Amino acid sequence: MNYEILIPLLAAAVQSGTPILYATLGEIFTERTGILNLGVEGIMIVGALSGFLVAKITGNPAVAFFAAGLAGAVAASLHGIVCIIFQGNQVVSGLALTILGVGFANYIGAAYVGQAAPGFDPLPIPLLSQIPGLGPIFFRQDLLVYLTYLIPPLMWLFLYQTRYGLSLRAAGENPAAAIAAGVNVVACRFVGVLVGGFFIGLGGAYLSLAYTHLWTNNLTGGRGWIAVALVIFAFWRPSRAIFGAYLFGGVMALQLRLQASGTQIPSSLLLMLPYALTIGVLVLASWRRGGTDEPAALGRNIEPVD
Amino acid sequence: MRFVGLCAAVLLAVGLCFSSAAAKELQVGFVYVSPVGDAGWSFAHDKGRLVIEEMDGVTTSFVEAVAEGPDSERVMLNMARKGYDLIFATSFGYMDPMLKVAKQFPDTVFMHCSGFKTADNMGTYFGRMYQARYLSGMVAGAMSKSNTLGYVAAFPIPEVIRGINAFALGARAVNPEATVRVVWTKTWYDPATEKEAAKSLLDVGADVIAQHQDSPGPQEAAQEKGVYSIGYNSDMTQFAPKAHLTAPIWNWGPFYIETVKQVMDGSWQSASVWPGLAEGTVDLAPISDVVPQEVRDQVMAKKAAIIAGEEVFTGPINDQSGAEKVAAGTAMTDEELLGMTWFVQGVIGTTE
């Protein structure tokens, strides 16, 4: 594989990894507070539809992108209400949210299938885009990709270097101790669910506003589930999520490029690559459990205090 | 999908309450696999439905986004129970469910698109899209400078393989140096994946992108790269005004009118029909102005010849290895075409 093929492949890896990266970061933020949200796929597609509709109505992609995040937060709040207020089972609630979100978006979106809306186009950064190798890969993307370069460090700063971040993590590690220390655990977990939902919604919007400028049924195509798996791969750390998302995007882009380059490997085998990688990653992650940062109280509800 | 199907069934029930008021008219129902707005496969069928809706004494309705399998059986069963006279189901996976329903309702006429099973009251139909694909291949071959054409394809089934082969034969008829590179997406409708597949073809030097996909994703990719594209299903110019050269398109109106007339006067008989350019079921979208006049004339002359009875798959045709598959002067039979699982010379890719 030569240089002319490799650079576009890596650039495609960054682009197809970006929607997954948004969703993975959102899910990491949520799980950090102890809430397991399996509704990523459903939240993503609600975000994708909301972003598309707002872009179509207002003609302003930036407003649409923000609206998609808000829609994601609203969708995720259902999970928060069920699990945090009513102590519902987090796994069941998350799965229900996925089914609801996908059904809802396909139903509302049916009238808009195949239509196009304004979105984000590639916007090369002056100077940086001229760097050989790195320029074409990282700095000839669209604005939404550049945003994802900033989010992981900011999320890390917030979670690990601020008091609020510590409270949020405490809610996910040891809620009882956090309550004893005077932390409002319920509020923390709600913040986790809402902010996480916001980012997941942005991931969906990336698909309908930048990756393509179209709406269609099942636009997310299972990317939400990949994000759930990547959280484990990333050991719940924002920085490792970048690596995982690009690796995954790279494998998806690679299988298409292998076909285009005229390889004789059956396409069915190539198409298995991303999913084989998911399973491999999960096995690897559980094997090396020692290194993970899995929140100790992940998936467990807080017992009513009174 | 199950949820969508359920919604569709509920909507159908609601729709039927309204439509049952118009009794004694010929009631025609359509079952679509995707939403009609997709600018693709179902959209093309719905345009045909709108044409027969205009006919006197005909009312139509449709149910969209019906999942193949049990959901579709329920939808068709509902239509038959409500007294529909003629039901069109337009996806391959509706074949067995339709056959089951057809046996329970011998007085209703059932028409299944793209399958191979029939019954006394169930016919099957499809279009010779490969004829239009050959013509679009001629346009692509003439416009390519790199002699590399990219083809984003859904599934390696005879229908798609046949289309790729016809496209390649057409391209090489005007440009013997042309090769067609194929990428399988294993989806009919996923704009993100289709666009990415088109980009991967652009990266290996393709300068015309064709597709056997239902979304305009590949068109977007071609437009962004500043190269040309060939659409599919319907005129996709609106999605890529600069890139779009032409598109092999469906035009189901004439065939649906004919079928409705036959059912109305009682002359309908179960059969397996495969209309093409001659019947107007498939066609070529208007060719873009960037295509030189002599190429357009050449394509139109070929179109006239095909309508007059010339076969697209006439030998000599070699397979990918260069071995002769069809002898000079022999035309492939319909049966051979329907079971085509090999690529012609000039196609780069695998049918597995």
Side-chain angles (χ1 to χ4, degrees):
Chain A
M1 189 169 285
N2 52 21
Y3 188 77
E4 289 83 52
I5 298 285
L6 190 64
I7 298 295
L9 169 66
L10 294 177
V14 170
Q15 203 192 16
S16 58
T18 295
I20 310 173
L21 181 55
Y22 272 111
T24 307
L25 289 170
E27 182 68 4
I28 287 178
F29 197 89
T30 301
E31 291 196 11
R32 272 283 167 203
T33 63
I35 297 285
L36 177 70
N37 186 354
L38 294 182
V40 181
E41 179 81 3
I43 299 171
M44 249 182 126
I45 199 158
V46 167
L49 177 67
S50 313
F52 177 84
L53 289 182
V54 174
K56 204 163 173 57
I57 294 163
T58 66
N60 186 334
V63 171
F65 189 60
F66 189 72
L70 290 183
V74 169
S77 71
L78 290 177
H79 186 63
I81 290 167
V82 170
C83 298
I84 302 172
I85 296 181
F86 293 106
Q87 310 281 316
N89 182 307
Q90 297 185 9
V91 172
V92 175
S93 165
L95 291 175
L97 184 57
T98 286
I99 298 168
L100 176 70
V102 172
F104 174 81
N106 286 349
Y107 178 64
I108 301 292
Y112 302 93
V113 169
Q115 294 188 24
F120 295 87
D121 291 313
L123 187 79
I125 298 180
L127 296 179
L128 285 178
S129 63
Q130 301 305 320
I131 305 172
L134 293 181
I137 297 172
F138 290 106
F139 301 111
R140 287 187 199 163
Q141 306 279 2
D142 50 74
L143 206 57
L144 305 186
V145 173
Y146 303 146
L147 260 181
T148 58
Y149 301 160
L150 303 177
I151 296 170
L154 290 178
M155 193 178 274
W156 179 83
L157 272 177
F158 176 76
L159 283 174
Y160 290 87
Q161 305 295 323
T162 69
R163 258 195 58 202
Y164 301 108
L166 183 65
S167 302
L168 288 182
R169 284 189 295 130
E173 294 292 345
N174 194 334
I179 291 168
V183 173
N184 186 343
V185 172
V186 169
C188 284
R189 288 193 158 190
F190 242 108
V191 167
V193 167
L194 294 179
V195 174
F198 185 84
F199 283 119
I200 297 168
L202 295 184
Y206 186 79
L207 289 169
S208 60
L209 293 176
Y211 206 1
T212 67
H213 300 158
L214 301 163
W215 166 253
T216 165
N217 276 2
N218 301 321
L219 184 68
T220 46
R223 288 174 180 83
W225 292 112
I226 291 171
V228 171
L230 276 181
V231 171
I232 302 167
F233 173 77
F235 291 173
W236 289 268
R237 289 178 197 149
S239 51
R240 279 187 58 137
I242 308 181
F243 178 65
Y246 290 171
L247 178 68
F248 220 91
V251 173
M252 290 205 277
L254 176 69
Q255 65 92 358
L256 293 169
R257 275 166 177 75
L258 278 178
Q259 288 194 52
S261 66
T263 169
Q264 287 301 309
I265 307 168
S267 58
S268 324
L269 283 181
L270 293 175
L271 283 162
M272 277 167 46
L273 273 178
Y275 306 98
L277 183 75
T278 313
I279 295 171
V281 155
L282 289 178
V283 169
L284 200 74
S286 49
W287 192 24
R288 289 200 41 203
R289 191 158 285 271
T292 77
D293 256 358
E294 181 175 358
L298 178 62
R300 267 185 271 148
N301 285 332
I302 319 162
E303 298 303 321
V305 201
D306 49 10
Chain B
M1 278 324 285
R2 194 156 278 260
F3 179 78
V4 176
L6 202 66
C7 285
V10 171
L11 284 178
L12 172 72
V14 174
L16 289 172
C17 293
F18 288 102
S19 61
S20 56
K24 283 180 190 162
E25 295 218 321
L26 189 81
Q27 289 199 34
V28 186
F30 286 80
V31 187
Y32 303 137
V33 73
S34 52
V36 292
D38 65 359
W41 177 252
S42 296
F43 174 76
H45 282 283
D46 201 53
K47 268 177 36 183
R49 179 188 70 85
L50 291 172
V51 171
I52 59 170
E53 175 78 33
E54 296 296 310
M55 294 170 74
D56 284 334
V58 178
T59 53
T60 68
S61 67
F62 68 91
V63 184
E64 59 184 347
V66 179
E68 297 179 328
D71 281 335
S72 67
E73 187 179 327
R74 196 166 56 240
V75 170
M76 287 186 269
L77 202 62
N78 268 331
M79 283 183 168
R81 279 203 192 116
K82 294 283 177 183
Y84 277 61
D85 306 285
L86 172 58
I87 298 172
F88 291 98
T90 63
S91 190
F92 181 80
Y94 296 154
M95 181 167 65
D96 289 320
M98 182 170 241
L99 196 61
K100 266 189 180 166
V101 180
K103 283 185 179 144
Q104 296 175 47
F105 293 89
D107 297 331
T108 308
V109 174
F110 292 86
M111 288 293 280
H112 178 243
C113 185
S114 77
F116 54 84
K117 290 184 183 170
T118 56
D120 285 346
N121 60 332
M122 173 172 158
T124 176
Y125 65 102
F126 206 15
R128 293 179 191 268
M129 182 47 83
Y130 66 90
Q131 295 177 333
R133 288 210 184 270
Y134 183 94
L135 300 177
S136 70
M138 290 174 71
V139 175
M143 295 302 286
S144 174
K145 291 190 183 71
S146 68
N147 297 331
T148 303
L149 312 176
Y151 203 110
V152 184
F155 291 92
I157 56 172
E159 177 200 346
V160 181
I161 292 170
R162 195 165 61 232
I164 295 170
N165 284 338
F167 181 82
L169 290 177
R172 286 164 72 87
V174 297
N175 179 356
E177 301 290 306
T179 55
V180 178
R181 285 178 184 261
V182 178
V183 170
W184 301 109
T185 60
K186 299 284 168 88
T187 168
W188 289 112
Y189 200 96
D190 178 348
T193 304
E194 291 168 33
K195 189 173 178 183
E196 196 57 49
K199 281 168 142 181
S200 69
L201 288 161
L202 294 169
D203 287 344
V204 296
D207 62 355
V208 183
I209 296 290
Q211 64 179 81
H212 196 143
Q213 301 280 175
D214 292 342
S215 101
Q219 307 292 315
E220 269 194 10
Q223 169 109 344
E224 283 168 18
K225 179 92 178 197
V227 301
Y228 295 124
S229 61
I230 305 280
Y232 174 50
N233 282 319
S234 58
D235 195 330
M236 287 184 168
T237 308
Q238 53 162 322
F239 297 104
K242 286 187 200 138
H244 192 272
L245 292 175
T246 183
I249 56 173
W250 293 105
N251 177 23
W252 290 107
F255 176 75
Y256 284 157
I257 290 177
E258 185 57 33
T259 309
V260 165
K261 278 186 183 157
Q262 287 173 357
V263 172
M264 280 175 135
D265 64 21
S267 66
W268 184 87
Q269 280 188 318
S270 170
S272 176
V273 288
W274 205 14
L277 274 176
E279 294 82 359
T281 305
V282 304
D283 205 346
L284 198 63
I287 301 175
S288 158
D289 291 338
V290 300
V291 179
Q293 186 62 43
E294 67 257 32
V295 176
R296 277 189 267 175
D297 292 343
Q298 207 180 351
V299 172
M300 286 305 140
K302 186 72 185 180
K303 181 178 169 183
I306 294 173
I307 289 174
E310 192 181 308
E311 295 290 340
V312 165
F313 285 101
T314 305
I317 299 174
N318 298 342
D319 69 8
Q320 276 176 304
S321 69
E324 187 177 271
K325 286 286 259 192
V326 185
T330 332
M332 289 180 76
T333 64
D334 281 359
E335 206 171 314
E336 284 169 337
L337 289 177
L338 288 168
M340 202 173 211
T341 52
W342 50 275
F343 276 145
V344 300
Q345 199 167 22
V347 178
I348 300 172
T350 160
T351 55
E352 281 170 38

